Amino acid sequence: MMLSDKCEPAPPEQEYQKVTELDNIETESLLSSSDDDVYSPNHRAPVQTSKPLPPIPKRRQSLFPSISPTSRSILFKISILFSFDSFASGIATASWITYFFTTKFSLSEGTLGTLFFTTSIIAALSNLVASSISKRIGLLKTMVFTHLPSAIFLALIPLPSTVFPAVTFLVLRACTQNMDQVPRQAFLAAAILPTERTAVMGVVNVVKTLSQSGGPVVTGWLAGMQKFWIAFLVAGALKAGYDLAMLKMFLGYRSREEMEGERQRSEAAA
C-alpha cells in the first residue's frame, strides 16, 4: 500500500513541455506592442529568446496510493469478494487438511507426504490448462467454472467414512484448485488503469492476507468442539458464494483494452 511513485509509469514529460511552450507563446503575444507600433517604420521585431521551462510539478507524497474513482469502485468490489475467498482458504489450509486425515483416518506420515506431493504437482500443472481455457471462454468464466468445482469437492471431503473417497475428493479438488489464479490476476490488471496496477494489487494482497489470517481461528475452534467437518462445509460454501458473486457482478464487463479495440474496429469499418 505504501509504494512510491517510482513503481508506476512516469508522467509524459513531452506533453507537459508542449503545453508550457504554448502558454509562453500566448503570454508573449499578449505582452507585445500594439498594432500602431507594429506598422510604424521604426518598429523592430522582438528578438526570440528561449525561456527555460519550469520544472514539472511534483505530486504530493502520500502514505496511501492515489486511485481514480473508477478503479476505486472496482477495487472495493473485488476486495470484498477476495476477502471471502481468502477467509475460506484460511479455514481449510493444507496443515488443517493434513491434521484432518491424520485424526480421522490415521494415515502415516509417509502416506500423507506422498498424497500432498501428488496434489501439489496436479495443482501446478493445472495452471497451464487455465491459459488455454481463458482464450476460449474468457477470463471471468474461467475463474468461476474452474474454481466452483474445487469448492464443491472441498466441502465433500469430510463426508465419506472411508479414506479412499475422501482422498478422491482431495485429488479432484487439486485438479482445478489453482486454475483461477492466473485469470484472476489478468482480469484485475485489465479492469484498472495501467498506472494504478501496482497500487491496486498491493491493496488487494493486503486484504487477502488479513482475511486469510482469521480462518485458522475458526477451524481451531470447530476442531476443539469435535466438529471439524463443519470447517470444510463452511469453506466450500464461502468459496462457492464467491464464485457466484463474481459471475453476477462482472458478467458482461469489458475492460478498457476491449472497448478500445471495438472502437478501432468500428472506425475502421466505417
Side-chain angles (χ1 to χ4, degrees):
M1 293 176 62
M2 304 177 186
L3 299 174
S4 64
D5 296 337
K6 296 181 179 180
C7 298
E8 307 293 355
E13 298 184 4
Q14 294 180 354
E15 295 182 2
Y16 174 77
Q17 292 177 355
K18 290 180 180 178
V19 173
T20 307
E21 290 176 356
L22 290 175
D23 291 341
N24 293 336
I25 293 173
E26 293 179 356
T27 304
E28 291 176 357
S29 62
L30 292 175
L31 297 178
S32 62
S33 57
S34 61
D35 295 341
D36 296 337
D37 294 336
V38 171
Y39 292 104
S40 63
N42 296 327
H43 171 72
R44 293 183 180 179
V47 179
Q48 296 287 342
T49 57
S50 60
K51 296 182 179 180
L53 297 178
I56 300 177
K58 296 182 178 181
R59 293 185 296 178
R60 295 180 58 186
Q61 297 293 333
S62 176
L63 188 63
F64 298 97
S66 176
I67 302 175
S68 63
T70 304
S71 299
R72 198 179 304 137
S73 174
I74 297 175
L75 174 61
F76 179 75
K77 296 177 183 179
I78 288 182
S79 296
I80 293 178
L81 295 175
F82 283 8
S83 63
F84 281 101
D85 180 57
S86 298
F87 181 71
S89 299
I91 293 177
T93 58
S95 58
W96 278 120
I97 296 177
T98 303
Y99 178 77
F100 170 78
F101 278 94
T102 302
T103 55
K104 185 174 182 178
F105 302 111
S106 300
L107 295 181
S108 63
E109 289 80 1
T111 304
L112 287 172
T114 303
L115 174 62
F116 283 95
F117 170 78
T118 304
T119 55
S120 298
I121 294 297
I122 294 174
L125 295 177
S126 65
N127 287 321
L128 302 177
V129 184
S131 174
S132 177
I133 296 176
S134 62
K135 292 179 180 179
R136 290 171 172 81
I137 64 176
L139 297 175
L140 180 63
K141 292 181 180 179
T142 303
M143 292 166 54
V144 174
F145 295 153
T146 60
H147 192 259
L148 186 58
S150 174
I152 297 174
F153 291 136
L154 176 62
L156 295 176
I157 289 176
L159 300 184
S161 57
T162 57
V163 64
F164 182 75
V167 171
T168 302
F169 288 140
L170 181 63
V171 173
L172 290 176
R173 182 207 175 208
C175 293
T176 59
Q177 179 181 358
N178 294 335
M179 290 180 68
D180 70 312
Q181 293 184 0
V182 176
R184 178 192 299 182
Q185 296 296 327
F187 177 81
L188 180 59
I192 58 179
L193 295 173
T195 56
E196 298 173 348
R197 287 172 181 169
T198 305
V200 170
M201 290 184 179
V203 174
V204 170
N205 287 334
V206 170
V207 172
K208 290 171 59 179
T209 304
L210 293 177
S211 302
Q212 189 172 0
S213 62
V217 178
V218 177
T219 309
W221 177 67
L222 292 173
M225 297 175 59
Q226 303 300 321
K227 295 181 179 180
F228 201 171
W229 58 275
I230 298 180
F232 290 89
L233 296 180
V234 172
L238 288 175
K239 285 181 172 291
Y242 152 78
D243 293 325
L244 297 177
M246 282 289 296
L247 189 63
K248 180 178 178 59
M249 283 188 177
F250 295 102
L251 183 62
Y253 176 82
R254 295 180 301 171
S255 64
R256 292 177 174 84
E257 288 80 0
E258 293 174 344
M259 290 187 291
E260 181 66 21
E262 291 181 1
R263 186 184 65 83
Q264 292 178 357
R265 286 191 295 268
S266 62
E267 291 179 354

